[in-house]
Amino acid sequence: MINVAIVGTGNISNSHIQGLLTFPERCKIVAMCDIYEEKAKELVRKYELKDAQTFDDHKKMLASDMKIDLVHICTPPSSHGEIAINCMNAGKNVLVEKPMAPSLKECDQMLEAERRNKVVMGCIAQNRFRNSIYKLKRMLDSGLAGKLRCAHVNSLWWRGHCYYDLWWRGTWEKEGGGPTLNHAVHHIDMINWMQGELPIEVTSMLANVMHDNSEVEDISFAALRYRDGAVGEVTSSVVHHGEEQGIVLQCEDAKIAAPWSCAAEVTQSNGFPVKEHNGELIAKLNEYYDGLDDLQYEGHTGEIDNVLTALENGKRPMITGIEGRNTVELITAIYKAGFEKKTVTLPIEPEDEYYTVEGFQKHAVHFYEKKESIENFEAGEISVGNYKK
């Protein structure tokens, strides 16, 4: 039985709790921690977590005599590094919500703590555990569509003006960024997974067009170039009505996409496509896709299952700290390119100012100044993505 603690009891912690409660024979929630302890107590009541103690400080939790094997970190991004390192120094495995940390320096400190303490760190990227994304990766790896040459990534969300009224949101210091960091993190992880490597060049444009109570961007456009000449583009937004997310992969022989669609062309002698398209290849692609089994568990539940399985078998989870760091590195490059209005090359080395949170914030563009805030929202529903099969 794996004893689990959750630090941070905001909206996303519900997905963690529900996922953990799917496996009562494998894990047990023994602690809930939040700087507002009443929020932790409320979730204990809501989910009837009879074995769970509550704390208002993760250090108090770690100093107790509780047996904790795994800590889920669901706090604002600025605190991920400190809490994760403290937990790993106490010998606990950790599962860190997205993004892993606001800076590459913190990511590397977390990785060092993992190695030094011989524990396991996983990073949340739960959309790899959605059927549409998982199957798209399987389709790409099959080679039926040919080599990936151009990727279009749409991380399109909508958040009302009051979304940024919360005290830590919309600030470079506490939230670390806007939708590029906190929403498109999912899709940037996906494109890294599909490509299997980071790009070598990035350029971008950042703007804030609808949220004047936020320092950070509410939309960005990024263009990527890879070592083999392939290219990609990423749109990160919280101003798009309809919240349509997806990935389109233009490969040498066909287009494949999530939500699932495919297309394939063959040429006439004049270079224009034939009217009938490449019906034979389209049929093969659809047949292969339809033959792929669905995942047993999706979203956070799927990733939690993977992490529990890794711990039970002494292995690494699918999404490691290295994977989490790669996502932060690409996001950092997008911000650097947007702040400086120039093309940025990767990797971002430790001597680069953008490697540290202090250097990053020194260059961060303040689109507006956040002058007022509220401490907490009332409980309400949240949207976690519009993913079709």
Coordinates of all heavy atoms in Angstrom, one line a residue, residues 231-275:
V231 N 9.6 21.9 -39.0 CA 9.1 23.1 -38.3 C 7.8 22.9 -37.5 O 7.2 21.8 -37.7 CB 8.9 24.2 -39.3 CG1 10.2 24.6 -40.0 CG2 7.9 23.9 -40.4
G232 N 7.5 23.8 -36.7 CA 6.3 23.7 -35.9 C 5.8 25.1 -35.5 O 6.6 26.1 -35.5
E233 N 4.5 25.2 -35.1 CA 4.0 26.4 -34.6 C 3.1 26.1 -33.4 O 2.4 25.1 -33.4 CB 3.3 27.3 -35.6 CG 2.2 26.7 -36.3 CD 0.8 26.9 -35.7 OE1 0.8 27.8 -34.8 OE2 -0.1 26.2 -36.0
V234 N 3.1 26.9 -32.4 CA 2.3 26.7 -31.2 C 1.6 28.0 -30.9 O 2.2 29.1 -30.7 CB 3.2 26.4 -29.9 CG1 2.4 26.2 -28.7 CG2 4.1 25.1 -30.2
T235 N 0.3 27.9 -30.7 CA -0.5 29.1 -30.3 C -1.0 28.7 -28.8 O -1.6 27.7 -28.6 CB -1.8 29.3 -31.1 OG1 -1.3 29.5 -32.5 CG2 -2.6 30.5 -30.6
S236 N -0.7 29.7 -27.9 CA -1.1 29.5 -26.5 C -2.0 30.7 -26.1 O -1.6 31.8 -26.3 CB 0.2 29.6 -25.6 OG 1.2 28.7 -26.1
S237 N -3.2 30.4 -25.7 CA -4.2 31.4 -25.5 C -5.2 31.1 -24.4 O -5.5 30.0 -24.1 CB -4.9 31.6 -26.8 OG -6.1 32.4 -26.7
V238 N -5.6 32.2 -23.7 CA -6.8 32.1 -22.9 C -7.8 33.2 -23.3 O -8.7 33.6 -22.6 CB -6.4 32.4 -21.4 CG1 -5.7 31.2 -20.8 CG2 -5.6 33.7 -21.2
V239 N -7.8 33.4 -24.6 CA -8.8 34.4 -25.2 C -9.7 33.7 -26.3 O -10.5 34.4 -26.9 CB -8.1 35.7 -25.8 CG1 -7.2 36.3 -24.7 CG2 -7.3 35.4 -27.0
H240 N -9.5 32.5 -26.5 CA -10.3 31.8 -27.6 C -11.6 31.2 -27.1 O -11.6 30.2 -26.3 CB -9.4 30.7 -28.2 CG -8.4 31.2 -29.2 ND1 -7.4 32.0 -29.0 CD2 -8.4 31.0 -30.6 CE1 -6.7 32.3 -30.1 NE2 -7.3 31.7 -31.1
H241 N -12.7 31.7 -27.6 CA -14.0 31.1 -27.3 C -14.1 29.7 -27.9 O -13.6 29.5 -29.0 CB -15.1 32.0 -27.8 CG -15.1 33.4 -27.2 ND1 -15.9 33.7 -26.1 CD2 -14.5 34.5 -27.6 CE1 -15.7 34.9 -25.8 NE2 -14.9 35.5 -26.7
G242 N -14.7 28.8 -27.1 CA -14.8 27.5 -27.6 C -13.8 26.5 -27.1 O -14.0 25.3 -27.2
E243 N -12.7 27.0 -26.6 CA -11.6 26.2 -26.0 C -11.3 24.9 -26.8 O -11.4 23.8 -26.4 CB -12.0 25.8 -24.6 CG -12.1 26.9 -23.6 CD -12.0 26.5 -22.2 OE1 -12.5 25.4 -21.8 OE2 -11.3 27.2 -21.4
E244 N -10.9 25.1 -28.1 CA -10.6 24.0 -29.0 C -9.1 23.8 -28.9 O -8.3 24.6 -29.3 CB -11.0 24.3 -30.4 CG -12.6 24.5 -30.5 CD -13.0 25.1 -31.8 OE1 -12.3 25.9 -32.4 OE2 -14.1 24.7 -32.2
Q245 N -8.7 22.6 -28.5 CA -7.3 22.2 -28.4 C -7.1 21.0 -29.4 O -8.0 20.2 -29.6 CB -6.9 21.7 -27.0 CG -7.0 22.9 -26.0 CD -8.2 22.8 -25.1 OE1 -8.6 21.7 -24.7 NE2 -8.7 23.9 -24.7
G246 N -5.9 21.0 -29.9 CA -5.6 19.9 -30.8 C -4.2 20.0 -31.4 O -3.5 21.1 -31.3
I247 N -3.8 19.0 -32.1 CA -2.5 19.0 -32.8 C -2.7 18.4 -34.2 O -3.3 17.4 -34.3 CB -1.5 18.0 -32.0 CG1 -1.2 18.6 -30.6 CG2 -0.1 18.0 -32.8 CD1 -0.2 17.8 -29.8
V248 N -2.1 19.1 -35.1 CA -2.1 18.6 -36.5 C -0.7 18.3 -36.9 O 0.2 19.2 -36.8 CB -2.7 19.6 -37.5 CG1 -2.7 19.1 -38.9 CG2 -4.2 19.9 -37.0
L249 N -0.4 17.1 -37.4 CA 0.9 16.7 -37.8 C 0.9 16.5 -39.3 O 0.3 15.6 -39.8 CB 1.4 15.4 -37.1 CG 1.3 15.5 -35.6 CD1 1.8 14.1 -35.0 CD2 2.2 16.6 -35.0
Q250 N 1.7 17.4 -40.0 CA 1.8 17.2 -41.5 C 3.1 16.4 -41.7 O 4.2 16.8 -41.5 CB 1.9 18.6 -42.2 CG 0.7 19.4 -42.0 CD -0.5 18.9 -42.9 OE1 -0.4 18.0 -43.7 NE2 -1.7 19.5 -42.6
C251 N 2.9 15.2 -42.2 CA 4.0 14.3 -42.4 C 4.2 14.1 -43.9 O 3.5 14.7 -44.7 CB 3.7 12.9 -41.8 SG 3.3 13.0 -40.0
E252 N 5.3 13.4 -44.3 CA 5.6 13.3 -45.7 C 4.5 12.8 -46.6 O 4.3 13.2 -47.7 CB 6.9 12.5 -45.9 CG 8.2 13.2 -45.3 CD 9.4 12.3 -45.4 OE1 9.2 11.1 -45.2 OE2 10.5 12.8 -45.6
D253 N 3.8 11.8 -46.1 CA 2.8 11.1 -46.9 C 1.3 11.4 -46.5 O 0.4 11.1 -47.3 CB 3.0 9.6 -46.8 CG 4.4 9.2 -47.3 OD1 4.8 9.8 -48.3 OD2 5.1 8.4 -46.7
A254 N 1.1 12.0 -45.3 CA -0.3 12.2 -44.9 C -0.3 13.2 -43.7 O 0.7 13.4 -43.0 CB -0.9 10.9 -44.5
K255 N -1.5 13.8 -43.5 CA -1.8 14.5 -42.3 C -2.5 13.6 -41.3 O -3.4 12.9 -41.7 CB -2.7 15.7 -42.6 CG -3.1 16.5 -41.4 CD -4.4 17.2 -41.6 CE -5.6 16.3 -41.2 NZ -6.9 17.0 -41.2
I256 N -2.0 13.7 -40.1 CA -2.7 13.0 -39.0 C -2.9 14.0 -37.9 O -2.1 14.9 -37.7 CB -2.0 11.8 -38.5 CG1 -0.5 12.1 -38.1 CG2 -2.0 10.7 -39.5 CD1 0.2 10.9 -37.5
A257 N -4.0 13.9 -37.1 CA -4.4 15.0 -36.2 C -5.2 14.4 -35.0 O -5.8 13.4 -35.1 CB -5.2 16.1 -36.9
A258 N -5.1 15.2 -33.9 CA -6.0 14.9 -32.7 C -6.7 16.2 -32.4 O -6.1 17.3 -32.3 CB -5.1 14.5 -31.5
P259 N -8.1 16.2 -32.4 CA -9.0 15.1 -32.5 C -8.7 14.4 -33.9 O -8.3 15.0 -34.8 CB -10.4 15.7 -32.5 CG -10.2 17.0 -31.8 CD -8.8 17.5 -32.1
W260 N -9.0 13.0 -33.9 CA -8.6 12.2 -35.1 C -9.2 12.7 -36.4 O -10.4 12.9 -36.5 CB -8.9 10.8 -34.9 CG -8.6 10.0 -36.1 CD1 -9.5 9.3 -36.9 CD2 -7.3 9.7 -36.7 NE1 -8.8 8.7 -38.0 CE2 -7.5 8.9 -37.8 CE3 -6.0 10.1 -36.3 CZ2 -6.4 8.5 -38.6 CZ3 -4.9 9.7 -37.1 CH2 -5.1 8.9 -38.2
S261 N -8.3 12.9 -37.3 CA -8.6 13.1 -38.7 C -7.4 12.8 -39.5 O -6.2 12.8 -39.0 CB -9.1 14.5 -39.0 OG -8.1 15.4 -38.9
C262 N -7.5 12.4 -40.7 CA -6.4 12.2 -41.6 C -6.7 12.6 -43.0 O -7.9 12.7 -43.4 CB -5.9 10.7 -41.5 SG -7.1 9.6 -42.3
A263 N -5.7 12.9 -43.7 CA -5.8 13.3 -45.1 C -4.5 12.9 -45.8 O -3.4 12.9 -45.2 CB -6.1 14.8 -45.3
A264 N -4.6 12.6 -47.1 CA -3.4 12.2 -47.9 C -3.6 12.6 -49.3 O -4.7 12.4 -49.9 CB -3.1 10.7 -47.7
E265 N -2.6 13.1 -49.9 CA -2.7 13.5 -51.3 C -1.7 12.8 -52.2 O -0.6 12.4 -51.7 CB -2.5 15.1 -51.5 CG -3.3 15.9 -50.5 CD -4.8 15.9 -50.8 OE1 -5.2 15.3 -51.8 OE2 -5.5 16.4 -49.9
V266 N -2.0 12.7 -53.5 CA -1.0 12.3 -54.5 C -1.1 13.3 -55.6 O -2.1 14.0 -55.8 CB -1.2 10.9 -55.0 CG1 -0.9 9.8 -53.9 CG2 -2.7 10.7 -55.4
T267 N 0.0 13.4 -56.3 CA 0.1 14.5 -57.3 C -0.3 14.2 -58.7 O -0.1 13.0 -59.2 CB 1.5 15.1 -57.3 OG1 1.6 16.3 -58.0 CG2 2.5 14.1 -57.8
Q268 N -0.8 15.1 -59.4 CA -0.9 15.1 -60.8 C 0.4 15.5 -61.4 O 1.4 15.9 -60.7 CB -2.0 16.1 -61.3 CG -3.4 15.9 -60.8 CD -4.3 16.9 -61.4 OE1 -4.5 17.1 -62.6 NE2 -5.0 17.7 -60.5
S269 N 0.6 15.4 -62.7 CA 1.9 15.7 -63.3 C 2.2 17.2 -63.2 O 3.3 17.6 -63.4 CB 1.8 15.3 -64.8 OG 0.8 15.9 -65.5
N270 N 1.1 18.0 -63.0 CA 1.4 19.4 -62.9 C 1.6 19.9 -61.4 O 1.7 21.1 -61.1 CB 0.2 20.2 -63.5 CG -1.1 20.0 -62.7 OD1 -1.2 19.2 -61.7 ND2 -2.2 20.6 -63.2
G271 N 1.6 18.9 -60.5 CA 1.9 19.3 -59.1 C 0.7 19.5 -58.2 O 0.8 19.5 -57.0
F272 N -0.5 19.6 -58.9 CA -1.7 19.7 -58.1 C -2.2 18.4 -57.6 O -1.9 17.4 -58.3 CB -2.8 20.4 -59.0 CG -2.6 21.9 -59.1 CD1 -1.6 22.4 -60.0 CD2 -3.3 22.8 -58.4 CE1 -1.4 23.7 -60.2 CE2 -3.1 24.2 -58.6 CZ -2.1 24.6 -59.5
P273 N -3.0 18.3 -56.5 CA -3.4 17.0 -56.0 C -4.5 16.5 -56.9 O -5.3 17.2 -57.5 CB -4.0 17.4 -54.6 CG -4.3 18.8 -54.7 CD -3.4 19.4 -55.6
V274 N -4.6 15.1 -57.0 CA -5.7 14.5 -57.7 C -7.0 14.6 -56.9 O -6.9 14.7 -55.6 CB -5.4 13.0 -58.0 CG1 -4.1 12.9 -58.8 CG2 -5.3 12.2 -56.7
K275 N -8.1 14.7 -57.6 CA -9.4 14.9 -56.9 C -9.7 13.8 -55.9 O -10.3 14.1 -54.9 CB -10.5 15.0 -58.0 CG -11.8 15.4 -57.5 CD -12.9 15.3 -58.5 CE -12.6 16.2 -59.7 NZ -13.6 16.1 -60.8

